[in-house]
């Protein structure tokens, strides 16, 4: 970056005299016109310099090497190579977004408070982990992956940007308040995404609990004498079995 900046400065020093000669010939010595054109050219050069010195964002998602264990897991679930590539790229993007969201939520006091109330980062990480184990349920997390996670990340980025303004106006504070409210609402949507993803598991748990309650109910209704007799019979069977051995 330093070498690039130095090259731009030296290039500007060489270019300025050439521009001065060009402007002088172009305006035929008319000072006022030369000054106006000179100012415009300088502003254009400053704008170009500002654009060139900005760091370029790497938009390419770098996916880690696929391990043998993961490959076997995907194969067991019946995913083909194209589906695996798509899933892993999607998950890598989500991972980077969650990591950045975690940083954002701990960088400002207001965002910290929102995260404590809503568990936004914890929910995002939990859903990501569940999805990593169950890639065949990717369709159940479309709202989380493509809408709510990117949305809450962008909102926190904007909040931090405005919060870092050295001078804040009434409009700035209003924008911060609206952003905070919206961040909290989207955090609630993350929870809905998680509940949707684990809905089948919860329904299965309800069935298991219902069966357990029925078994307990039958046991409670059974006379105590029958329970004792049943237990005694079991003990006799065990003793007979041990004797035979």
């Amino acid at each position: 970056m330093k070498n690039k900046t130095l090259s731009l400065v030296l290039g500007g020093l060489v270019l300025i005299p050439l521009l001065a000669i060009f402007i002088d010939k172009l305006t035929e010595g008319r000072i006022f016109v030369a000054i106006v054109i000179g100012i415009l050219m300088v502003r254009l050069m400053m704008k170009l310099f500002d654009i060139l010195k900005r760091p370029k964002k790497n938009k390419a998602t770098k996916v880690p090497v696929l391990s043998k264990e993961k490959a076997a897991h995907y194969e067991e679930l019946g995913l083909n190579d194209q589906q695996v590539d798509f899933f892993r790229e999607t998950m890598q993007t989500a991972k980077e977004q969650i990591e950045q969201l975690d940083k954002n939520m701990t960088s400002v006091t207001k965002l910290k408070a929102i995260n404590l109330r809503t568990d936004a980062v914890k929910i995002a990480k939990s859903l990501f982990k569940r999805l990593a184990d169950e890639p065949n349920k990717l369709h159940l997390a479309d709202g989380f992956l493509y809408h709510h996670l990117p949305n809450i990340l962008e909102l926190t980025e904007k909040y931090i940007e405005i919060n870092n303004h050295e001078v804040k106006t009434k409009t700035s504070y209003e924008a911060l308040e609206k952003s905070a409210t919206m961040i909290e609402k989207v955090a609630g949507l993350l929870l809905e995404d998680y509940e949707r993803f684990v809905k089948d598991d919860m329904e299965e748990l309800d069935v298991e609990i219902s069966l357990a309650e029925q078994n307990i109910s039958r046991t409670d209704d059974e006379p105590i004498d029958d329970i004792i007799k049943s237990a005694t019979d079991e003990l006799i069977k065990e003793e007979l079995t041990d004797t035979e051995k």
Side-chain angles (χ1 to χ4, degrees), residues 75-110:
E75 186 177 355
E76 184 181 351
L77 292 171
L79 301 180
N80 59 38
D81 292 343
Q82 187 176 2
Q83 290 171 326
V84 170
D85 290 342
F86 176 75
F87 175 75
R88 297 185 72 237
E89 287 176 6
T90 301
M91 292 297 284
Q92 183 61 29
T93 300
K95 180 184 177 183
E96 292 170 2
Q97 290 174 338
I98 292 171
E99 288 173 349
Q100 187 59 50
L101 178 64
D102 194 2
K103 291 177 183 178
N104 291 354
M105 282 297 205
T106 56
S107 64
V108 181
T109 303
K110 182 69 173 179

Side-chain angles (χ1 to χ4, degrees), residues 110-124:
K110 182 69 173 179
L111 296 182
K112 284 182 183 178
I114 292 174
N115 191 42
L116 284 172
R117 285 196 301 271
T118 63
D119 280 331
V121 174
K122 183 179 179 180
I123 291 169

Side-chain angles (χ1 to χ4, degrees), residues 12-205:
L13 292 173
V14 173
L15 192 59
I16 287 172
L18 296 175
L19 285 174
I21 295 170
F22 171 74
I23 292 170
D24 183 63
K25 289 185 177 180
L26 183 66
T27 58
E28 297 179 349
R30 286 175 287 184
I31 297 175
F32 177 76
V33 177
I35 291 173
V36 172
I37 294 176
I39 291 172
L40 292 174
M41 293 293 288
V42 169
R43 291 188 65 180
L44 181 62
M45 287 179 62
M46 289 176 65
K47 185 70 176 177
L48 180 62
F49 177 76
D50 183 59
I51 292 172
L52 290 173
K53 76 176 183 178
R54 290 177 188 170
K56 293 182 179 180
K57 293 183 178 180
N58 185 15
K59 294 183 179 180
T61 302
K62 196 171 182 179
V63 181
V65 177
L66 180 62
S67 66
K68 291 182 179 180
E69 292 78 9
K70 282 291 184 182
H73 179 57
Y74 296 142
E75 186 177 355
E76 184 181 351
L77 292 171
L79 301 180
N80 59 38
D81 292 343
Q82 187 176 2
Q83 290 171 326
V84 170
D85 290 342
F86 176 75
F87 175 75
R88 297 185 72 237
E89 287 176 6
T90 301
M91 292 297 284
Q92 183 61 29
T93 300
K95 180 184 177 183
E96 292 170 2
Q97 290 174 338
I98 292 171
E99 288 173 349
Q100 187 59 50
L101 178 64
D102 194 2
K103 291 177 183 178
N104 291 354
M105 282 297 205
T106 56
S107 64
V108 181
T109 303
K110 182 69 173 179
L111 296 182
K112 284 182 183 178
I114 292 174
N115 191 42
L116 284 172
R117 285 196 301 271
T118 63
D119 280 331
V121 174
K122 183 179 179 180
I123 291 169
K125 288 181 177 181
S126 297
L127 182 47
F128 178 89
K129 186 177 179 181
R130 293 295 298 266
L131 185 55
D133 293 335
E134 302 177 86
N136 52 329
K137 288 187 177 181
L138 183 65
H139 61 286
L140 294 177
D142 54 352
F144 168 72
L145 292 169
Y146 306 120
H147 300 287
H148 304 146
L149 178 58
N151 189 210
I152 194 171
L153 177 60
E154 185 178 355
L155 285 168
T156 56
E157 296 278 5
K158 292 295 183 184
Y159 186 96
I160 293 170
E161 182 182 341
I162 296 172
N163 189 68
N164 287 338
H165 288 177
E166 292 184 6
V167 178
K168 296 185 184 69
T169 63
K170 182 182 177 182
T171 305
S172 300
Y173 287 111
E174 288 175 353
L176 288 171
E177 191 62 33
K178 287 180 180 178
S179 296
T181 302
M182 189 55 63
I183 290 168
E184 197 150 356
K185 286 182 178 179
V186 179
L189 295 177
L190 295 182
L191 179 58
E192 291 181 11
D193 291 333
Y194 182 83
E195 289 174 342
R196 179 191 178 200
F197 191 85
V198 300
K199 183 180 178 182
D200 291 344
D201 294 339
M202 298 304 294
E203 288 177 351
E204 289 176 8
L205 179 61

Side-chain angles (χ1 to χ4, degrees), residues 219-243:
T219 303
D220 290 341
D221 293 339
E222 190 176 353
I224 188 66
D225 292 341
D226 292 343
I227 295 173
I228 294 172
K229 186 177 182 302
S230 177
T232 303
D233 290 343
E234 288 295 327
L235 285 172
I236 292 170
K237 286 180 182 178
E238 288 178 7
E239 288 177 0
L240 290 173
T241 303
D242 292 339
T243 302

